[in-house]
């Protein structure tokens, strides 16, 4: 039962990833791509946590944490760049 | 596998993933960048928190680290979306024709 | 005296996070964390306004305890509302940017207010300018400053005012 639910969750997250990917390529503005990238990262964090469970390796959670940290800094940096660069 | 906590965890994971999906859908369907940021931030924040809570039910020994990830996302996600929305507005991002009012543009003297 | 209190608070927070990150009570792990947290707390004692501006009175703790469930309730509500909009075939949005005012004075209070607004029903903080906040609203109900403030800001301000002022 729990296994089926995890498959379902992974599928839903996968579709969310594809939708965000569409927005990432479609744009049209840079800000659109950045928010799409942000959502991709957040979805990926859930993905990493699911993989950690399936593989039974808690160390992957550290990867998820660092990933969240880098994404945050990345979005802030790009937003700053947009304000000054354009 | 029929442990009640496992079942709760699985259901929370599915609920979380469903909100991630709504976020993705909003990202595609919403008419301009501000509405997309709204859809993107809110749905993914709750979606991730629910997923993390679900995983904490499945693997209680990971609870503390999952809580740490959840707290971090709860605090940083709105900040990054605010910074992004501000950048979008300052660089004159296009707003949907449905937009009824823009007090910020009025106050900073831009064309609405 | 105030400085010692800030350092102690920062140290306790850092050490707590270190413990959560490691999930271990082994002596060497705790020892490293103890030293690292202490060094960072002394070096960056002015850096964490979330702690130093917190009033730490019984009333403030009480307000914080009531703020959290209120916030979570609003977060769930906002997501259900958003899901309903996104799933509706005709996409019923009426977006706009409105201006609201806050009574909060502290930096941290304002930041938490802006964050809370961003995560709750249909609103996103776009710009902060002193006591003024510019809010993007998916379904604008009122463009009047007072009315918009009452509907967007007041709910959170009640608690944050006691916590941070």
């Amino acid at each position: 039962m729990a296994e089926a639910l995890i498959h379902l969750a992974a599928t839903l997250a996968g579709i969310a990833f594809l939708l965000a990917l569409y927005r990432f390529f479609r744009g049209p503005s840079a800000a659109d791509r950045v928010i799409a990238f942000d959502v991709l990262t957040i979805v990926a964090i859930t993905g990493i946590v699911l993989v950690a469970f399936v593989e039974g390796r808690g160390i992957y959670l550290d990867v998820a944490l660092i990933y969240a940290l880098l994404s945050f800094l990345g979005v802030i940096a790009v937003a700053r760049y947009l304000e000054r660069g354009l | 596998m029929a442990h009640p906590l496992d079942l709760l965890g699985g259901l929370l994971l599915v609920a979380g993933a469903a909100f991630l999906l709504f976020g993705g859908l909003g990202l595609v369907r919403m008419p301009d960048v501000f509405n997309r940021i709204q859809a993107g931030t809110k749905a993914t924040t709750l979606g991730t928190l629910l997923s993390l809570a679900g995983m904490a039910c499945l693997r209680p020994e990971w609870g503390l680290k999952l809580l740490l990830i959840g707290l971090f996302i709860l605090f940083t996600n709105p900040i990054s979306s605010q910074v992004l929305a501000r950048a979008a507005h300052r660089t004159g991002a296009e707003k949907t024709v449905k937009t009824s009012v823009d007090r910020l543009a009025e106050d900073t003297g831009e064309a609405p | 005296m105030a400085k010692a209190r800030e350092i102690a608070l920062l140290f306790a927070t850092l050490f707590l996070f270190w413990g959560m990150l490691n999930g271990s009570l082994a002596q060497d792990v705790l020892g490293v964390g103890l030293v690292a947290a202490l060094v960072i707390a002394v070096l960056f004692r002015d850096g964490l306004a979330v702690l130093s501006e917190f009033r730490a009175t019984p009333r403030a703790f009480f307000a914080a305890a009531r703020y959290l469930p209120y916030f979570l309730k609003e977060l769930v509500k906002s997501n259900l509302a958003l899901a309903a909009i996104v799933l509706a075939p005709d996409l019923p949005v009426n977006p706009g940017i409105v201006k609201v005012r806050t009574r909060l004075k502290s930096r941290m209070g304002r930041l938490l207010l802006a964050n809370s607004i961003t995560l709750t029903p249909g609103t996103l903080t776009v710009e902060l300018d002193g006591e003024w906040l510019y809010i993007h609203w998916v379904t604008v109900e009122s463009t009047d400053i007072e009315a918009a403030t009452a509907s967007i800001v007041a709910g959170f301000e009640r608690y944050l005012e006691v916590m941070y002022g």
Side-chain angles (χ1 to χ4, degrees):
Chain A
M1 187 61 192
E3 203 149 302
L5 289 174
I6 286 177
H7 281 145
L8 179 57
T11 310
L12 293 175
I15 299 172
F17 195 86
L18 291 177
L19 289 169
L21 208 57
Y22 168 81
R23 180 53 68 198
F24 182 76
F25 284 116
R26 181 73 202 284
S29 75
D32 285 302
R33 292 180 213 274
V34 180
I35 183 65
F37 171 79
D38 197 31
V39 171
L40 285 172
T41 313
I42 304 275
V43 174
I45 287 167
T46 296
I48 293 172
V49 171
L50 284 173
V51 170
F53 177 74
V54 172
E55 304 265 316
R57 301 191 63 174
I59 191 78
Y60 288 178
L61 296 183
D62 295 87
V63 179
L65 187 62
I66 299 301
Y67 199 36
L69 188 75
L70 287 179
S71 161
F72 174 59
L73 294 177
V75 170
I76 300 283
V78 174
R80 278 280 149 122
Y81 169 76
L82 287 178
E83 285 186 1
R84 300 224 182 104
L86 291 175
Chain B
M1 253 334 202
H3 197 276
L5 206 57
D6 283 352
L7 188 63
L8 176 66
L11 289 175
L12 282 173
L13 271 170
V14 171
F19 277 112
L20 292 180
L21 179 60
F22 295 150
L25 208 55
L27 210 51
V28 170
R29 289 200 69 202
M30 283 297 197
D32 67 9
V33 66
F34 299 103
N35 290 298
R36 284 177 202 137
I37 292 174
Q38 292 241 22
T41 330
K42 286 188 224 303
T44 56
T45 305
L46 183 64
T48 310
L49 290 182
L50 287 174
S51 308
L52 294 174
M55 188 51 69
C57 293
L58 292 174
R59 299 294 296 264
E61 71 272 25
W62 290 354
L64 281 179
K65 202 165 278 184
L66 291 167
L67 179 64
L68 201 59
I69 298 176
L71 281 176
F72 185 78
I73 287 182
L74 192 60
F75 208 73
T76 58
N77 228 5
I79 296 183
S80 55
S81 60
Q82 273 156 228
V83 173
L84 189 58
R86 194 181 66 182
H89 197 276
R90 285 188 183 170
T91 53
E94 207 168 307
K95 290 179 293 260
T96 168
V97 289
K98 287 179 173 177
T99 306
S100 54
V101 61
D102 187 346
R103 294 268 186 253
L104 180 53
E106 288 167 20
D107 285 3
T108 51
E110 305 163 28
Chain C
M1 210 37 225
K3 213 142 231 181
R5 183 177 149 261
E6 276 173 31
I7 294 177
L9 264 170
L10 183 52
F11 168 76
T13 312
L14 287 169
F15 194 57
L16 179 71
F17 275 84
W18 174 266
M20 285 166 73
L21 196 57
N22 280 286
S24 156
L25 291 175
Q27 269 185 5
D28 49 348
V29 173
L30 288 185
V32 172
L34 208 75
V35 174
L38 196 64
V39 170
I40 297 172
V42 171
L43 288 179
F44 293 90
R45 57 178 171 266
D46 300 324
L48 216 57
V50 65
L51 295 170
S52 60
E53 288 181 4
F54 188 74
R55 286 186 169 164
T57 61
R59 268 189 78 214
F61 281 110
F62 189 63
R66 289 186 29 210
Y67 174 71
L68 200 64
Y70 177 75
F71 169 76
L72 290 176
K73 192 188 85 194
E74 292 291 306
L75 178 62
V76 172
K77 249 170 60 187
S78 100
N79 272 276
L80 294 177
L82 195 81
I85 291 178
V86 170
L87 292 175
D90 60 339
L91 207 65
V93 295
N94 170 32
I97 295 177
V98 298
K99 188 175 180 181
V100 297
R101 166 190 249 156
T102 175
R103 294 197 302 265
L104 298 176
K105 296 278 181 285
S106 68
R107 282 181 310 158
M108 200 56 216
R110 283 175 180 170
L111 174 65
L112 280 184
L113 177 69
N115 269 9
S116 304
I117 288 173
T118 297
L119 286 176
T120 51
T123 51
L124 165 72
T125 313
V126 176
E127 186 92 68
L128 284 157
D129 181 16
E131 59 178 352
W132 302 103
L133 285 88
Y134 296 89
I135 311 287
H136 180 266
W137 206 350
V138 170
T139 50
V140 174
E141 287 159 22
S142 170
T143 58
D144 175 59
I145 289 178
E146 298 304 322
T149 302
S151 129
I152 296 176
V153 177
F156 294 111
E157 211 175 46
R158 240 183 352 195
Y159 303 114
L160 290 171
E161 204 167 30
V162 183
M163 288 158 64
Y164 288 99

